[in-house]
Amino acid sequence: PTKMPNKPKHEHSDRDRIYTPESIVKELIKKIPAVDNDSWCDPCFGKGIFFDNFPCINDHKEYYEIDMDKDFLIIPNDYKWDWVVTNIPFSKPKEFIFAMAKHCNKGFGILCLANSMTAMRIKELERQGFFLNNVTILYIKDWGFGYRTDFYVFTRNKAKNLDVMISEKDKG
């Protein structure tokens, strides 16, 4: 097989292969403000739970999976979908956050550790024209660790009832 440059950093660990329960995925996908005929991409297919629950017909969705030699992080820049939605590997948050933004037209939904979505990353996404539209805070006991995970939905439009405030150092 071809050597995949973006294999998880920790081959000895299963931390990058934690699968989201389908009941949770169904609720998270409802948070995406999609319309009929929107196209979807799951960059981290895993067991296909997100992919199988996208509300679209098969020719409007695509998946990538590093373990299937389909590396989302190295696809051409012009590959785009309306929505890119997944549970990302914990070892590569920055890479996936910005790759998902690069490959979507309308927005993206990303399930990640809460501390992966830093203020600086949110600020950079805003600079690129993506605004936090919705946040769902999760604690999934079956995952067996105490870290909080959040599902962030970023869109091209600012949410009316959600503020992101990032304070710069006072100059005075």
Side-chain angles (χ1 to χ4, degrees):
T2 309
K3 173 137 173 59
M4 301 300 284
N6 292 303
K7 279 283 193 186
K9 290 180 183 176
H10 310 290
E11 284 296 327
H12 63 280
S13 170
D14 63 355
R15 303 292 271 167
D16 280 336
R17 290 171 184 82
I18 298 174
Y19 304 105
T20 314
E22 187 169 19
S23 60
I24 300 287
V25 168
K26 287 180 177 184
E27 292 303 311
L28 296 179
I29 288 175
K30 290 177 187 175
K31 308 286 185 186
I32 305 292
V35 297
D36 290 344
N37 293 321
D38 276 354
S39 59
W40 295 72
C41 178
D42 181 347
C44 305
F45 184 80
K47 293 182 178 181
I49 303 299
F50 276 91
F51 181 83
D52 291 342
N53 284 283
F54 288 157
C56 64
I57 53 177
N58 286 338
D59 63 343
H60 282 95
K61 62 183 181 177
E62 177 66 58
Y63 70 86
Y64 290 83
E65 173 54 53
I66 193 80
D67 290 332
M68 297 177 187
D69 292 337
K70 291 180 72 175
D71 188 347
F72 181 77
L73 296 178
I74 61 171
I75 63 174
N77 288 343
D78 62 343
Y79 283 35
K80 299 235 185 227
W81 298 268
D82 293 317
W83 298 100
V84 179
V85 181
T86 203
N87 173 357
I88 65 167
F90 292 168
S91 70
K92 294 187 173 279
K94 181 179 179 182
E95 294 88 340
F96 273 93
I97 290 166
F98 293 111
M100 290 171 72
K102 178 172 56 174
H103 293 291
C104 70
N105 293 318
K106 295 183 176 183
F108 62 98
I110 186 166
L111 180 61
C112 61
L113 291 173
N115 65 349
S116 295
M117 191 58 68
T118 65
M120 294 309 294
R121 290 174 184 161
I122 292 170
K123 188 174 182 176
E124 175 58 22
L125 288 167
E126 286 183 352
R127 193 190 67 69
Q128 294 178 22
F130 289 99
F131 302 94
L132 191 55
N133 183 278
N134 188 294
V135 179
T136 302
I137 298 169
L138 298 159
Y139 177 72
I140 301 172
K141 284 186 174 186
D142 289 348
W143 285 355
F145 57 82
Y147 301 114
R148 193 181 94 206
T149 54
D150 295 340
F151 183 69
Y152 299 91
V153 177
F154 285 87
T155 63
R156 296 284 186 184
N157 304 313
K158 288 186 179 182
K160 290 181 171 72
N161 61 350
L162 180 67
D163 290 322
V164 175
M165 298 172 67
I166 300 172
S167 176
E168 302 290 333
K169 275 187 168 180
D170 285 339
K171 306 256 193 240

